[in-house]
Amino acid sequence: MSTLSSPLPTHISPTSTANRPQHRRRRFSLPRWKGAKPIPLAISISIGLIFRFAVPKPDQLSTKAWQLLAIFLTTISGLILGPLPVGAWAFLCLTLTVVTKTLTFAAAFAAFTNEVIWLIVASFFFSRGFIKTGLGDRIALCFVSWLGKNTLGLSYGLILSEAAISPAIPSTTARAGGIFLPIIKSLAVTADSHPKDDSAKKLGAYLVQSQLQCSSSSSALFLTAAAQNLLCVKLAEGLDVNISSKWLTWFKASCIPALISLLATPVILYKIFPPEMKDTPDAPLMARRRLEQMGSIKSDQWVMMIVMLVTVSLWISGESLGLASVITAMLGLSLLLAFGILEWDDCLSEKSAWDTLAWFGVLIGMATQLTTLGVVAWMSNLVADFLKSLSLHWFGAFCVLQASYFFIHYLFASQTAHVAALYSAFLGMCLASKVPGLFAALALGYNTNLFGALTHYSSGQAAVYYGAGYVELRDVFKMGIIIALINIVIWGLVGAGWWKILGLY
């Protein structure tokens, strides 16, 4: 007769491992470091220290000015290398200016009362309203349903809808991640085009690349379409370049080259980076189905639409009415809060707005003090004298400076960091070279948007679209430089001619 063995031992011998003394070696391990990244931190600080103590100070500058420039270089190096999150690093460097008595507390924090910064913060809240109410999605889907019968029309539907809502959403990254990338993914998957797969080129790769490249012109079209535009205007005012009717002047100068670029880019990409799928009959059906699921326009969407139309109208005409742009933004935000479109918790949870407040305030404050202490004027005169030694006409000097400002962005991972680091210096060089101030200020501002699609790291929206996995890295760099050169031609020829008609130079 067979016996069933017990699955568990019924007897444990004295030599069983259960009774053996355990001699385990205790491993000593340090807790995981959660602070600043050591190597980027060391490099950023070293750059400032070497500049401060190893580079001879020019006689034209005070010790305080030279010390502030060294801290500013450390700040910019940290923004590029990222030892800490941007806001944290900016606050650390601001603290350093006060601890070293380079700036007084009042001077260090003076920029936090700057109206441009609060205009940017309020605009981020408008972005939250567009996304929360679903109005942004509805507008994009309407364009898709109208124009999306083929791939080229689908691309135009997406880029035109972004251009339409861009003045109310001043973050290209928010537009990309919150509205357009989800729609593009849905369209691509419906067409059996998947990321990180051979099928990506069927539809998804073209739509992603088209949207990314066109987002640069959408951001350049309106003053309030990108946060860096507002920063450019403020820094220009710090160099006594006054722009009357800012919103309208910016749009009048940008509208022709930006619209030409928006209309030309999808066609050019269709030729040099073609999608495998030419017709998309399912796209309008999908868009209409999504719109049906949304139902009729909700009351909160109507309120959001009306408030934004009123706000944009006041941005255009506010100066003649004696209303500053920031007051208009505050009025619009107050209406959204009063009607319950936004709750105060929505504003508190908008981390990007408060983060921007922190580091924009630091950068504007440092840039303003560098101008006050004569650093920008000193650097500008050095370069201007060099350009004069080459016997360049002011327009030749302008072209050299614009090209340098554009292509040096390969070294930056942020458009706003680029502006903070170089805009004032390059504008000062232009002014010292006798380039008309308004012409130089606007051209540099538009350039700040156009280099946002050079690489996968050149802007927040570039990182968002590349992260979707539809476009290979070599194609990102290849299309980035090709479209950049085409934009330079469009803005350089058409833009310069249009600005001549407007009397900017």
Side-chain angles (χ1 to χ4, degrees):
M1 184 175 68
S2 63
T3 58
L4 295 175
S5 60
S6 172
L8 295 175
T10 56
H11 174 73
I12 300 177
S13 67
T15 58
S16 172
T17 55
N19 292 334
R20 287 178 187 170
Q22 300 295 314
H23 300 287
R24 293 187 179 178
R25 191 177 292 175
R26 289 182 176 272
R27 290 185 179 179
F28 177 77
S29 61
L30 292 172
R32 188 172 67 87
W33 176 248
K34 298 180 181 179
K37 299 175 184 175
I39 294 178
L41 177 66
I43 294 174
S44 301
I45 293 177
S46 297
I47 288 173
L49 290 174
I50 291 171
F51 186 86
R52 171 65 179 87
F53 296 106
V55 178
K57 180 183 74 66
D59 295 334
Q60 300 95 316
L61 296 179
S62 65
T63 301
K64 180 182 290 188
W66 196 244
Q67 191 159 292
L68 180 59
L69 180 57
I71 295 174
F72 185 71
L73 290 176
T74 293
T75 305
I76 298 303
S77 300
L79 293 180
I80 297 171
L81 299 175
L84 285 170
V86 173
W89 180 251
F91 186 80
L92 186 152
C93 293
L94 182 68
T95 302
L96 187 61
T97 64
V98 179
V99 170
T100 58
K101 297 185 178 180
T102 306
L103 296 176
T104 63
F105 183 88
F109 283 86
F112 286 89
T113 61
N114 189 292
E115 63 182 40
V116 171
I117 297 176
W118 287 101
L119 175 59
I120 294 170
V121 171
S123 298
F124 271 107
F125 297 149
F126 290 145
S127 302
R128 171 60 71 96
F130 258 83
I131 295 171
K132 181 181 178 181
T133 61
L135 183 58
D137 285 339
R138 183 179 289 277
I139 292 172
L141 290 169
C142 285
F143 275 92
V144 170
S145 67
W146 296 334
L147 302 173
K149 292 181 180 179
N150 55 60
T151 303
L152 189 58
L154 185 57
S155 175
Y156 276 116
L158 291 168
I159 65 167
L160 291 176
S161 59
E162 178 169 9
I165 66 175
S166 62
I169 303 181
S171 169
T172 320
T173 307
R175 297 197 298 268
I179 297 175
F180 290 97
L181 184 58
I183 293 176
I184 289 173
K185 282 183 175 180
S186 180
L187 291 167
V189 170
T190 301
D192 200 25
S193 177
H194 303 283
K196 299 179 181 179
D197 187 82
D198 291 339
S199 64
K201 294 184 178 179
K202 189 175 181 181
L203 181 64
Y206 169 75
L207 290 181
V208 164
Q209 194 62 258
S210 177
Q211 198 70 21
L212 169 61
Q213 297 298 336
C214 290
S215 66
S216 299
S217 293
S218 297
S219 297
L221 184 57
F222 301 103
L223 176 62
T224 51
Q228 64 266 14
N229 297 346
L230 298 161
L231 180 58
C232 289
V233 168
K234 184 59 187 178
L235 293 175
E237 289 179 341
L239 293 175
D240 296 325
V241 178
N242 294 315
I243 304 174
S244 60
S245 302
K246 299 177 182 62
W247 202 96
L248 196 56
T249 299
W250 181 285
F251 175 71
K252 283 168 59 179
S254 69
C255 61
I256 299 299
L259 289 174
I260 291 175
S261 179
L262 282 172
L263 294 175
T265 300
V267 176
I268 294 169
L269 283 169
Y270 195 79
K271 297 294 184 182
I272 63 176
F273 191 66
E276 295 174 359
M277 176 181 282
K278 308 300 182 184
D279 296 315
T280 55
D282 292 336
L285 295 176
M286 187 214 75
R288 293 189 190 104
R289 193 159 49 245
R290 291 269 299 273
L291 287 170
E292 288 174 2
Q293 292 172 355
M294 288 183 177
S296 59
I297 300 180
K298 307 292 191 299
S299 59
D300 58 350
Q301 293 177 342
W302 278 116
V303 173
M304 185 75 211
M305 194 184 307
I306 292 169
V307 169
M308 285 315 308
L309 287 173
V310 171
T311 302
V312 172
S313 299
L314 289 176
W315 275 335
I316 295 172
S317 59
E319 193 159 313
S320 61
L321 299 174
L323 276 177
S325 296
V326 66
I327 303 301
T328 298
M330 291 171 64
L331 176 62
L333 177 58
S334 297
L335 289 173
L336 292 179
L337 290 168
F339 281 100
I341 306 304
L342 287 176
E343 298 176 358
W344 187 240
D345 283 343
D346 294 323
C347 298
L348 293 177
S349 63
E350 189 63 35
K351 294 181 181 179
S352 56
W354 303 114
D355 186 49
T356 300
L357 171 67
W359 65 279
F360 259 40
V362 173
L363 294 176
I364 290 180
M366 285 190 184
T368 301
Q369 291 298 319
L370 286 172
T371 302
T372 302
L373 294 172
V375 175
V376 173
W378 167 74
M379 293 175 63
S380 303
N381 289 330
L382 281 180
V383 177
D385 291 342
F386 171 73
L387 293 174
K388 285 178 184 177
S389 69
L390 300 177
S391 300
L392 289 176
H393 183 263
W394 71 259
F395 193 79
F398 168 80
C399 292
V400 170
L401 291 171
Q402 288 286 335
S404 301
Y405 181 79
F406 189 99
F407 287 107
I408 204 172
H409 191 65
Y410 275 109
L411 303 177
F412 284 85
S414 165
Q415 290 167 288
T416 42
H418 188 135
V419 172
L422 299 177
Y423 182 87
S424 294
F426 272 80
L427 180 55
M429 295 175 206
C430 288
L431 297 176
S433 301
K434 308 302 180 184
V435 180
L438 182 58
F439 175 63
L442 290 177
L444 286 170
Y446 298 140
N447 252 348
T448 299
N449 293 282
L450 298 179
F451 54 49
L454 268 177
T455 68
H456 63 300
Y457 61 83
S458 56
S459 62
Q461 65 269 22
V464 168
Y465 284 122
Y466 174 70
Y470 280 97
V471 184
E472 296 182 10
L473 190 58
R474 65 174 182 272
D475 290 325
V476 173
F477 277 87
K478 182 181 176 182
M479 295 302 110
I481 186 61
I482 290 174
I483 300 301
L485 293 173
I486 291 171
N487 274 329
I488 288 173
V489 172
I490 292 174
W491 286 78
L493 295 180
V494 178
W498 175 239
W499 299 336
K500 181 71 173 177
I501 294 173
L502 293 177
L504 296 183
Y505 68 96

